[in-house]
């Protein structure tokens, strides 16, 4: 099986390296293209056998799966470049949330899926969010899920849930890292602990908490009940969080959705589609 990656920035490179590390793909199965040369050249240097090209159409040509790993506003030009080389048998995977499956199906002859990855896949962990277009057959879905399960937990979602699911699975690591950073900085400022030590303890705590929630059979409520015994120090801390976080997640969800809606509008313009007609609509 040949797999192409168009765009080898942060996510394209991360996916390639995770697939290679997991053993799901070998370098000779991969062809990668990128607008500027150095990022793709670095990958080829690190993984002998991995083919790179400056031409997106050349990378896609003959590949069974084509991952589109460019930013949303670069989609229109990339899709235009690929239209003539793609065929009905290929699977095109978009990793970006606002570009709708129906819109892509209207522009290219291939089968289309949207898979939103997460930085957590570089640790071969985290959920990848999978949305399948109307041309995807059960065997295509199986192939994609087999591939994605080598680096993540593939999780099927509805396209209308893309934003909120991406907030949690894909933006979530940055949100949680921000909270840990704030907490550790304050801990270092107020007590004798060093910032490094506070971050290390917090990271181990997050690792363990994730395991308890995924493999340990705990729900978030049960975890709180087990740790925050009545009258204890944890209960005091939870009371502070209850007060301080009031409305924060509502604001966060509203902010990400607002930005997403802006991106949808700009994409409609770039694709020359009627506003609200193409991007992120149910396929
Ligand atoms: N970062 C995340 O955690 C994350 C998570 C889930 C999904 N995503 C999605 O993944 C997509 C890529 O994000 P990213 O963080 O990887 O961005 P990025 O680091 O900027 O990478 C995008 C890459 O696309 C290349 N590119 C742009 N136009 C191109 C073209 N016409 N042909 C070939 N390559 C082209 C860029 O090349 P240059 O070197 O010339 O700039 C760059 O290397 C975005 O849509 C984002 O929403 C990101």
């Amino acid at each position: 099986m040949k797999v192409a990656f168009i765009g080898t920035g942060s996510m394209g490179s991360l996916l390639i390296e995770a697939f290679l590390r997991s053993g799901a793909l070998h370098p000779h199965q991969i062809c990668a293209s990128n607008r500027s040369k150095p990022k793709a050249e670095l990958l080829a240097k690190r993984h002998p056998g991995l083919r790179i090209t400056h031409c997106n159409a050349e990378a896609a040509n003959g590949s069974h799966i084509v991952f589109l790993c460019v930013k949303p506003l670069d989609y229109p030009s990339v899709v235009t470049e690929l239209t003539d080389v793609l065929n009905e048998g290929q699977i095109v995977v978009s990793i970006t949330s606002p570009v709708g499956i129906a819109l892509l199906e209207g522009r290219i002859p291939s089968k289309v899926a949207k898979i939103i990855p997460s930085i957590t896949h570089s640790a071969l962990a985290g959920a990848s969010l999978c949305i399948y277009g109307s041309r995807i057959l059960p065997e295509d879905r199986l192939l994609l899920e087999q591939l994605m399960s080598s680096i993540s937990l593939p999780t099927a979602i509805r396209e209308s849930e893309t934003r909120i699911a991406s907030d949690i699975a894909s933006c979530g690591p940055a949100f949680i890292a921000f909270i840990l950073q704030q907490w550790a900085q304050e801990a270092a400022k107020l007590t004798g602990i060093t910032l490094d030590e506070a971050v290390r303890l917090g990271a181990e705590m997050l690792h363990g908490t994730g395991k308890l929630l995924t493999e340990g059979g705990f729900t978030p409520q049960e975890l709180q009940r087990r740790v925050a015994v009545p009258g204890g120090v944890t209960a005091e801390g939870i009371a502070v969080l209850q007060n301080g976080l009031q409305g924060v997640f509502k604001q966060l969800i509203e902010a990400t959705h607002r930005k997403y809606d802006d991106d949808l509008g700009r994409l409609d313009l770039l694709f020359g589609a009627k506003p609200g007609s193409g991007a992120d609509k149910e396929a």
Side-chain angles (χ1 to χ4, degrees):
M1 181 173 72
K2 299 265 185 215
V3 183
F5 292 83
I6 313 290
T8 57
S10 170
M11 260 303 140
S13 295
L14 186 153
L15 285 173
I16 289 173
E17 303 222 290
F19 286 133
L20 291 175
R21 193 146 21 91
S22 74
L25 294 177
H26 296 286
H28 67 265
Q29 293 178 281
I30 296 176
C31 185
S33 63
N34 194 63
R35 185 173 51 193
S36 62
K37 281 187 181 168
K39 291 176 192 165
E41 283 171 352
L42 189 67
L43 281 169
K45 204 166 147 199
R46 285 166 62 110
H47 306 288
L50 187 152
R51 216 157 51 83
I52 56 167
T53 165
H54 194 52
C55 172
N56 294 332
E58 188 186 325
N61 197 8
S63 293
H64 298 90
I65 303 175
V66 180
F67 280 90
L68 302 182
C69 306
V70 298
K71 284 189 171 154
L73 300 183
D74 292 318
Y75 265 70
S77 65
V78 168
V79 167
T80 304
E81 277 177 67
L82 298 183
T83 306
D84 289 340
V85 292
L86 291 171
N87 63 48
E88 293 84 355
Q90 290 170 294
I91 304 172
V92 170
V93 178
S94 160
I95 70 157
T96 195
S97 50
V99 177
I101 285 184
L103 190 146
L104 287 176
E105 285 181 335
R107 307 286 160 132
I108 56 179
S110 309
K111 308 166 192 194
V112 177
K114 185 148 75 171
I115 299 183
I116 311 298
S118 161
I119 195 170
T120 52
H121 304 346
S122 58
L124 308 188
S128 50
L129 309 172
C130 307
I131 306 146
Y132 302 105
S134 59
R135 299 176 196 147
I136 292 278
L137 302 172
E139 55 266 36
D140 302 321
R141 183 173 168 155
L142 196 65
L143 181 72
L144 289 174
E145 291 189 354
Q146 264 170 359
L147 184 61
M148 292 313 297
S149 65
S150 68
I151 62 168
S152 66
L153 180 73
T155 305
I157 60 164
R158 283 189 289 276
E159 193 163 29
S160 56
E161 296 165 345
T162 305
R163 184 61 263 142
I164 188 60
S166 303
D167 275 8
I168 298 168
S170 190
C171 307
F175 297 152
I176 296 297
F178 177 82
I179 291 169
L180 176 57
Q181 182 199 356
Q182 298 287 311
W183 193 0
Q185 277 170 350
E186 215 54 54
K189 209 159 75 188
L190 296 177
T191 75
I193 197 166
T194 66
L195 184 63
D196 283 355
E197 181 75 353
V199 168
R200 199 165 54 78
L201 291 175
E204 288 298 332
M205 174 278 292
L206 284 175
H207 186 62
T209 305
K211 282 196 158 197
L212 288 177
L213 290 169
T214 52
E215 301 164 9
F218 277 89
T219 64
Q221 293 89 332
E222 281 160 358
L223 251 182
Q224 289 172 68
R225 241 193 333 269
R226 281 287 293 276
V227 183
V229 293
V233 289
T234 311
E236 292 293 317
I238 295 246
V240 172
L241 290 176
Q242 246 162 6
N243 203 22
L245 290 178
Q246 195 80 251
V248 165
F249 290 102
K250 179 172 182 286
Q251 281 180 48
L252 183 149
I253 291 166
E254 285 169 355
T256 57
H257 280 69
R258 210 167 29 245
K259 172 73 173 78
Y260 188 61
D261 288 342
D262 287 351
D263 288 347
L264 292 182
R266 254 181 290 156
L267 269 173
D268 278 336
L269 282 176
L270 276 175
F271 270 110
K274 272 192 254 133
S277 64
D280 190 21
K281 292 288 165 275
E282 296 285 359

